[in-house]
Amino acid sequence: MSTVDLPLLPLGRGRDLDTERGVECPGDLPAQSDPGLVERARAAKEELGDRLFVLGHHYQRDEVIQFADVTGDSFKLARDAAARPEAEFIVFCGVHFMAESADILTAPHQQVVLPDLAAGCSMADMARLAQVEDAWDSLAEAGVADAVVPVTYMNSSADIKSFVGRHGGTVCTSSNAETALEWAFEQKPDAKVLFLPDQHLGRNTAVLQLGLSLEDCVVWNPLLSGGGLTAEQLRDARMILWRGHCSVHGRFSADVVDELRAADPDIQILVHPECTHDVVLKADLIGSTEFIIKTIEAAPAGSSWAIGTELNLVKRLAAQHPDKRISFLDRNVCYCSTMNRIDLPHLVWALESLVSGTVVNRIEVDPDTTHWAQVALQRMLDLPGRSHRD
């Protein structure tokens, strides 16, 4: 099943037996217009006390993020949960792969809950395990597999992290991708990197930080035989980029950057490295979500910024820094549709279910997948520098 075949399940109702992306909620969700939702969430949190730890990703709605005990990017949040062993329930307000990472890193007695199982990630879903296994077989047939070191972005499923762990690779975040790629190229003579699943982060890191050329990079299309590449192209490549992308960051365009600079010569363009290469080339600053937040916090009053990342975060930064001119780097409103699935009704439903003794939407990763994913994650943690940060 390709990504576009995935069904849309409004508010997580309904189910698709071929995929975990959906759940039939046992019982009714509170109405979105219920004026008592905020108080109900507060009451449930208070009732659960230290047994509960709520994680909120930066891209979540304000109505949800207000109940988070900690906020951050995916890996930081998973590690925060692991540092709270007294918390029996970890409610992850984010998307599916993030909750998987939390389950991998937390203790067996801790139960990870995702308020809406339909909150997936289109980028993570662009690299399915069967596709990656087929690609590896094709690399072997082309005679290059022995030279390939796989590196997967944190924004990938648990089984992809496990595959990478089994095959001698590592995980990376948007902060330490440069260090991870340097490590990968040191693992084998004439090493090549298979970078999953975001081609843009891989390309931007390889070209702008490691000094490789665009000609050193090829794109593997999992929908084409042999990835759409010849054996010669694979032999010549240094970076084999999986054809995946973030649906939000891929929307930003270079012509909007030009328009903004024409309207405001003092504006600074601040973007995430998941943006396309032409956008990143026109930006003033490029960095992870944490980097974007810290840059705006440190910016002088009166400065002007256009930010290329998810809209919930950009709006929050603008509200928190009214002394700065902050705008969204797109002509159109564009939230992350899967992040936005975690709304207040789902959060209240999950919390009140826990109060009543029912664990809903638990995310569990099997022991073998957990083991090899931990191997890949530990390789990342052993890297020098900022490897522990998103």
Side-chain angles (χ1 to χ4, degrees), residues 49-126:
D50 291 340
R51 298 172 65 205
L52 172 71
F53 196 46
V54 180
L55 309 175
H57 191 273
H58 287 308
Y59 295 170
Q60 289 291 291
R61 308 166 181 236
D62 285 345
E63 68 181 46
V64 169
I65 210 79
Q66 65 180 314
F67 294 105
D69 295 303
V70 293
T71 60
D73 281 341
S74 57
F75 187 56
K76 172 186 178 296
L77 291 174
R79 283 171 61 84
D80 285 343
R84 292 288 293 268
E86 71 277 10
E88 181 181 351
F89 306 119
I90 307 298
V91 174
F92 208 127
C93 298
V95 295
H96 196 271
F97 79 80
M98 299 178 185
E100 285 183 328
S101 295
D103 186 60
I104 289 168
L105 293 176
T106 51
H109 71 275
Q110 295 178 288
Q111 301 179 78
V112 178
V113 169
L114 184 65
D116 184 353
L117 289 188
C121 170
S122 60
M123 179 204 295
D125 288 341
M126 289 176 189

Side-chain angles (χ1 to χ4, degrees), residues 136-199:
W136 197 262
D137 290 342
S138 294
L139 293 174
E141 291 173 9
V144 300
D146 288 344
V148 175
V149 179
V151 176
T152 190
Y153 189 20
M154 183 61 65
N155 299 25
S156 57
S157 64
D159 54 11
I160 297 302
K161 293 183 179 74
S162 179
F163 175 93
V164 167
R166 289 177 187 273
H167 290 83
T170 187
V171 181
C172 75
T173 68
S174 51
S175 289
N176 72 357
E178 177 183 7
T179 304
L181 289 184
E182 288 175 341
W183 172 88
F185 283 122
E186 292 170 356
Q187 298 311 298
K188 299 178 180 181
D190 301 320
K192 305 175 186 296
V193 170
L194 172 63
F195 193 88
L196 304 152
D198 179 29
Q199 62 171 305

Side-chain angles (χ1 to χ4, degrees), residues 214-286:
L214 290 175
E215 288 69 32
D216 290 321
C217 305
V218 295
V219 177
W220 181 280
N221 185 343
L223 302 181
L224 298 178
S225 175
L229 300 169
T230 65
E232 182 181 7
Q233 286 175 307
L234 291 170
R235 285 193 295 270
D236 291 343
R238 299 288 308 283
M239 289 287 293
I240 303 169
L241 304 168
W242 194 264
R243 193 184 182 208
H245 65 277
C246 170
S247 59
V248 171
H249 292 94
R251 289 179 56 91
F252 303 118
S253 60
D255 63 311
V256 172
V257 176
D258 294 337
E259 289 177 13
L260 289 168
R261 291 200 191 279
D264 180 1
D266 295 325
I267 199 167
Q268 297 187 72
I269 309 299
L270 173 60
V271 304
H272 195 282
E274 289 175 20
C275 293
T276 60
H277 191 63
D278 58 343
V279 170
V280 166
L281 287 176
K282 286 180 175 285
D284 297 296
L285 293 167
I286 308 122

Side-chain angles (χ1 to χ4, degrees), residues 291-302:
F291 174 83
I292 289 171
I293 293 169
K294 288 181 169 61
T295 297
I296 295 299
E297 288 174 344

